[in-house]
Amino acid sequence: METTETFESLVRAEFTPKSTYLNTASNGLLPARTVAALHEAALLRADGRPLTSLYEDVEASRAAYARLAGVPASRVAVGASVAAHSGVIAASLPAGAEVLTAEDDFTSVLNPFHVRGDLKVRSVPLERVAESVRPGTALVAVSAAQSADGRVADLPALREAARDHGARTYVDFSQSAGWLPMDADAHDFSASVSFKWLLGPHGTAFLVVPEDFGGLTPLLAGWVAGERPWDSCYGPVTELAHSARRFDLTHALFTFAGLRRSLDLVEELGVDAVHAHDVALADRFRAGLDTLGHRPLPSPGSAIVSVPGLGGRQPALSRAGIEVSDRAGNLRAAFHLYNTAADVDRLLDALGG
């Protein structure tokens, strides 16, 4: 485990934000090593040099995410978005199947099931998801941490209820991968984008599938989904990859050049250390809000804090150099490894002014 001194020195070496940035739930900051790798990748293209190393970055990123998720790399596919991964899962369900979701969860988790038109999509409050699984529920789809307010789902209870009723589970870790320990092996399917708490560029998202692929059809498969990609460039793919790579989409090579370095940093720091750091800052903010007479939406143990009625303060805060989000009238602050107690106090001072 990293010592506090090593943690802080690594962070200082990688991040030099020009603002009080408390908006990781929208986009994470890029580490210096990631920016350097993106620059070098762009020069490869500009100079006309071979791109072999960029394909190596794809596999290194896959392996790094697999370690964070607690699964073999053979179960990890890489694509472009959580919505695309959700769409593949939605397409696998038979007509009339019931999908249980959390009310007002992020659209990318929900919408692909709705647009099918022939599925029974049922939504309940997040706190009631586990108790609402019933005979006939085919799939439970939920975010591990809610984008709007940071509430953390009770995944063990959800998993147990799903197993009791023969339902499968699909978890979106986009708002938690990188700060909340992740056990993707406990679920049938899971996904995450790379550009939030994993500190990567935009352009890719991971999908974890069972060893037997869980009945999914690689509807979006192109040449990279072949067992031998460079022999699968023309005509139908005659042999799909024997691993989850059969669900890969054409790789955003520049993204992986940077993402590989971002995931290296997350591993160097350790998710447990990041978790302790992030949640401590969020708790400091919650305590400060209480002294100001504001009550945040309940999200115990989360690095995301949303405050009702203060979303309209976002533009003025941004002009003052404090970056947060306005979500449905709520002010949302998200605390990550590059934030400090001084950042929390600056936001509290601004809200109290």
Side-chain angles (χ1 to χ4, degrees):
M1 179 179 292
E2 295 288 345
T3 65
T4 300
E5 181 179 355
T6 302
F7 184 100
E8 292 177 352
S9 63
L10 270 174
V11 171
R12 285 195 302 270
E14 295 290 346
F15 299 99
T16 54
K18 306 303 182 186
S19 65
T20 300
Y21 190 80
L22 302 170
N23 200 21
T24 299
S26 293
N27 304 282
L29 297 182
L30 295 178
R33 66 178 72 182
T34 301
V35 174
L38 289 169
H39 179 68
E40 177 57 30
L43 288 179
L44 288 178
R45 286 282 302 275
D47 296 344
R49 288 180 281 157
L51 303 182
T52 307
S53 62
L54 302 187
Y55 289 97
E56 295 170 358
D57 291 333
V58 175
E59 297 312 315
S61 296
R62 190 195 312 272
Y65 183 81
R67 290 191 294 272
L68 291 172
V71 297
S74 61
R75 289 180 54 190
V76 177
V78 294
S81 69
V82 167
H85 294 322
S86 298
V88 171
I89 296 170
S92 73
L93 298 172
E98 178 179 278
V99 181
L100 179 64
T101 67
E103 290 180 352
D104 298 321
D105 207 334
F106 197 73
T107 301
S108 296
V109 186
L110 307 177
N111 205 51
F113 299 102
H114 284 272
V115 299
R116 266 281 304 264
D118 59 354
L119 300 177
K120 299 175 183 177
V121 184
R122 185 164 58 98
S123 296
V124 299
L126 178 68
E127 294 76 15
R128 291 181 49 208
V129 170
E131 69 184 59
S132 298
V133 184
R134 62 191 183 187
T137 300
L139 181 75
V140 184
V142 69
S143 293
Q146 292 292 296
S147 172
D149 54 30
R151 286 175 298 158
V152 177
D154 186 348
L155 294 181
L158 184 156
R159 181 178 66 250
E160 182 177 353
R163 288 178 176 172
D164 286 347
H165 292 89
R168 288 185 164 179
T169 56
Y170 171 44
V171 179
D172 177 15
F173 287 107
S174 294
Q175 290 291 7
S176 60
W179 71 267
L180 189 66
M182 177 173 34
D183 182 11
D185 193 43
H187 306 284
D188 296 286
F189 311 105
S190 65
S192 177
V193 296
S194 65
F195 62 86
K196 298 180 185 289
W197 309 88
L198 294 176
L199 310 172
H202 283 71
T204 195
F206 295 98
L207 172 68
V208 176
V209 301
E211 289 286 357
D212 65 0
F213 309 134
L216 301 185
T217 299
L219 297 173
L220 308 179
W223 70 280
V224 296
E227 177 63 16
R228 293 176 296 280
W230 292 107
D231 294 332
S232 302
C233 295
Y234 305 104
V237 176
T238 57
E239 184 181 8
L240 288 166
H242 302 165
S243 68
R245 190 167 53 76
R246 63 173 51 198
F247 301 104
D248 276 19
L249 300 185
T250 301
H251 305 136
L253 294 179
F254 286 5
T255 290
F256 286 102
L259 179 59
R260 176 180 185 174
R261 279 71 188 182
S262 296
L263 294 176
D264 284 346
L265 176 61
V266 173
E267 287 196 275
E268 288 172 30
L269 293 169
V271 172
D272 288 341
V274 175
H275 174 265
H277 175 88
D278 292 6
V279 173
L281 293 178
D283 287 344
R284 183 185 184 95
F285 183 51
R286 292 185 181 94
L289 286 168
D290 186 61
T291 65
L292 294 177
H294 297 298
R295 179 169 295 180
L297 296 173
S299 58
S302 179
I304 303 170
V305 183
S306 288
V307 192
L310 295 184
R313 302 281 297 272
Q314 184 271 327
L317 289 168
S318 183
R319 289 193 293 271
I322 302 174
E323 299 300 333
V324 292
S325 292
D326 176 4
R327 290 293 183 270
N330 302 324
L331 182 146
R332 185 186 69 183
F335 303 92
H336 204 17
L337 55 90
Y338 33 68
N339 295 129
T340 66
D343 293 335
V344 178
D345 294 344
R346 185 179 180 202
L347 176 56
L348 289 168
D349 288 344
L351 294 175

